[in-house]
Amino acid sequence: MSGPGAPDRPVTARAVVAPTLTDPLARTLCEVVGGPRGRRALHRSGWWMPVRVLVALVLMTMALGWAQKGYCRSTGFAGQGPFVHACYSDIPVLYQARGLAAGDVPYAAPRSVQPVEYPVLTGLVMWANARLVPAGVRDPGVWYFDITALGLALAAVVAVVSTIGVAGRRPWDVAMLAVAPTLALAGTVNWDLWAVMLTSLSMLAWARRRPWLAGVLLGLGTATKFYPVLLLGALIVLGLRTGRMRAVGQAVAAAVVSWLVVNLPVAVASFRQWSTFYRFSQARGVDFGSPWYAAQLVHHGLPPGLVNLVPAGSFAVACLAIAVLVLRAPRRARLAQVAFLVLAAFLLTTKVYSPQYVLWLLPLAVLARPRWRDFLIWQAGEVVYFFAVWLYIDGFSSPQRGLPVDWYVAATAVHLLATGWLVVMVVRDLWSSRYDAVRADGTDDPAGGVFDGAPDWFVLRRQPVHRAGPVGVGATGGNPGHQAG
């Protein structure tokens, strides 16, 4: 098309979708750089063109995030300065506090050192980065932060490239991930991007119909941060709808085996230190960012006996609702949609929401709802919360300077509502595929792997049986050969 009012050109099955032609907000924003691509433009598509541009963008975003931590790099990450300047990071703090600066090995540190409260692969990354710090440098904590930030930038690059591979004909949608404000702000708060990378690689392996490899990567991701295991739930419910449980079983088995291979040696060698993460997660009370913490600030918190039960029960109810939605939807949901909903449900009901947890959702949000308007609404809410939580913490020691409780509760509500908005949009797309940008041109599920093009096997409602007429796109599965469940 040559202008905003012109009709869209028909696209071929192999054409790359341009957001400036299909996304209303992207079309408007691109006016500052010359407007949407015209029909006489040179169409240089292919794998490497989007990859080059998006890798450059994500490196720029991570560089901006590193620069945003500049105040803390120059004055230190301890004290209250990091909070009021919103540049706090766990990375250099735990470098000292967990004995890494002294050369201690995670899960084998002396009893005088507090054990690492992360899964095994994160502890391995923490230790490996510490080994790269040169001896005798003036500020080893800053060196450790910079080395870790470089590794996290490379993890972000792999996550972007993997997501491009999953996006199918829509690689340019991944620009939302590459330039996400929360990626810059939260990317170097903790080590979460390594889990994001492994999860993205797992999604790519599943899309390429390699369930064993997908499971191995999910298991490794779960050995880095616990959340990737939740994606197995999305695979199971879609496997039930399509009857593709053999591939799902392979992924689950591979995930369990890879997790055990990584964890068992450490657990046998030092069970108490290995189990610190699980015991800490169990004993931890409600904390920043969760609806339960906000409720505690304005009224009454959860009784001690319900601190784990209520969030876990709320998540279980949400998962049941998602399963019913997926099994009753007129057309089979896309994998990215279901995975996004499961993970969003966890983050909306969990008893603690650390600022870097937003990174977990980024690739799935891009794949589930590739619309700039909704993505930016969600990001705006998360940016508001990111700055609010640090100012609120700053108020613990400087009440006259910190964010008042009421304002922090309001910021928490903004974060919850922004995520809820994106959830509502994904649910609408899932239930009525005419709203789904990915399926607008007849595509089924680029990330679906064995689910892509699969007919329904089990649904929770009666479907009309068409006894006559040509075989075409099924009413519920959206695929030839649909069978009522």
Side-chain angles (χ1 to χ4, degrees), residues 50 57 59 85 97 107 112 141 172 176 192 248 254 284 388 400 414:
L57 287 175
L59 288 174
H85 289 88
Y107 317 110
S112 59
W172 293 111
M176 290 184 277
D192 293 61
V248 172
R284 191 174 190 178
Q400 73 283 359
V414 168

Side-chain angles (χ1 to χ4, degrees), residues 225-447:
K225 290 282 182 176
F226 189 71
Y227 85 88
V229 73
L230 300 177
L231 272 65
L232 293 176
L235 294 177
I236 290 170
V237 71
L238 285 173
L240 181 61
R241 174 143 185 172
T242 61
R244 301 296 198 261
M245 290 303 297
R246 179 179 180 183
V248 172
Q250 291 173 345
V252 171
V256 171
V257 170
S258 64
W259 185 88
L260 288 173
V261 166
V262 170
N263 281 270
L264 274 180
V266 181
V268 170
S270 179
F271 181 82
R272 180 165 182 79
Q273 293 205 32
W274 168 83
S275 64
T276 297
F277 165 72
Y278 304 97
R279 290 184 286 106
F280 175 73
S281 299
Q282 176 71 18
R284 191 174 190 178
V286 296
D287 213 331
F288 303 121
S290 72
W292 322 110
Y293 184 73
Q296 177 177 288
L297 292 176
V298 300
H299 189 51
H300 298 292
L302 296 173
L306 299 179
V307 166
N308 290 313
L309 181 61
V310 171
S314 301
F315 177 57
V317 171
C319 287
L320 179 61
I322 292 169
V324 172
L325 174 70
V326 172
L327 295 175
R328 285 182 60 87
R331 182 174 178 181
R332 171 181 33 80
R334 292 187 291 110
L335 174 59
Q337 292 172 324
V338 185
F340 171 85
L341 291 177
V342 171
L343 189 52
F346 176 76
L347 294 179
L348 289 172
T349 59
T350 184
K351 61 182 179 179
V352 57
Y353 180 81
S354 297
Q356 73 274 11
Y357 288 3
V358 66
L359 302 173
W360 304 355
L361 275 179
L362 277 174
L364 295 175
V366 169
L367 296 170
R369 176 66 180 168
R371 287 297 190 193
W372 278 92
R373 181 200 66 177
D374 301 312
F375 183 81
L376 292 178
I377 289 173
W378 171 55
Q379 287 290 285
E382 294 293 343
V383 169
V384 167
Y385 178 75
F386 181 88
F387 287 102
V389 68
W390 301 127
L391 290 176
Y392 175 67
I393 295 174
D394 181 63
F396 292 169
S397 61
S398 304
Q400 73 283 359
R401 185 177 62 184
L403 193 70
V405 169
D406 290 347
W407 283 97
Y408 173 71
V409 171
T412 302
V414 168
H415 137 64
L416 295 171
L417 289 172
T419 304
W421 169 264
L422 202 53
V423 167
V424 169
M425 292 295 101
V426 172
V427 169
R428 186 187 68 164
D429 292 351
L430 187 158
W431 189 261
S432 182
S433 58
R434 66 191 179 96
Y435 295 109
D436 188 353
V438 174
R439 284 176 164 167
D441 56 20
T443 300
D444 183 34
D445 188 358

Side-chain angles (χ1 to χ4, degrees), residues 204-211 449-453:
L204 179 60
W206 182 267
R208 297 289 187 264
R209 304 189 178 222
R210 298 177 180 177
V450 296
F451 304 144
D452 185 29

Side-chain angles (χ1 to χ4, degrees), residues 69-158:
K69 303 295 187 288
Y71 177 86
C72 290
R73 291 184 66 258
S74 61
T75 63
F77 287 86
Q80 292 303 116
F83 300 126
V84 72
H85 289 88
C87 60
Y88 173 81
S89 172
D90 288 329
I91 292 166
V93 174
L94 296 182
Y95 172 66
Q96 299 289 341
R98 300 299 179 265
L100 297 168
D104 293 331
V105 179
Y107 317 110
R111 288 185 175 271
S112 59
V113 177
Q114 184 174 341
V116 170
E117 63 271 47
Y118 296 113
V120 169
L121 287 186
T122 294
L124 176 62
V125 170
M126 294 167 67
W127 173 79
N129 289 338
R131 299 284 294 177
L132 296 176
V133 177
V137 293
R138 179 179 178 182
D139 195 338
V142 173
W143 272 86
Y144 182 72
F145 174 80
D146 290 345
I147 291 169
T148 303
L150 179 59
L152 292 170
L154 296 177
V157 167
V158 175

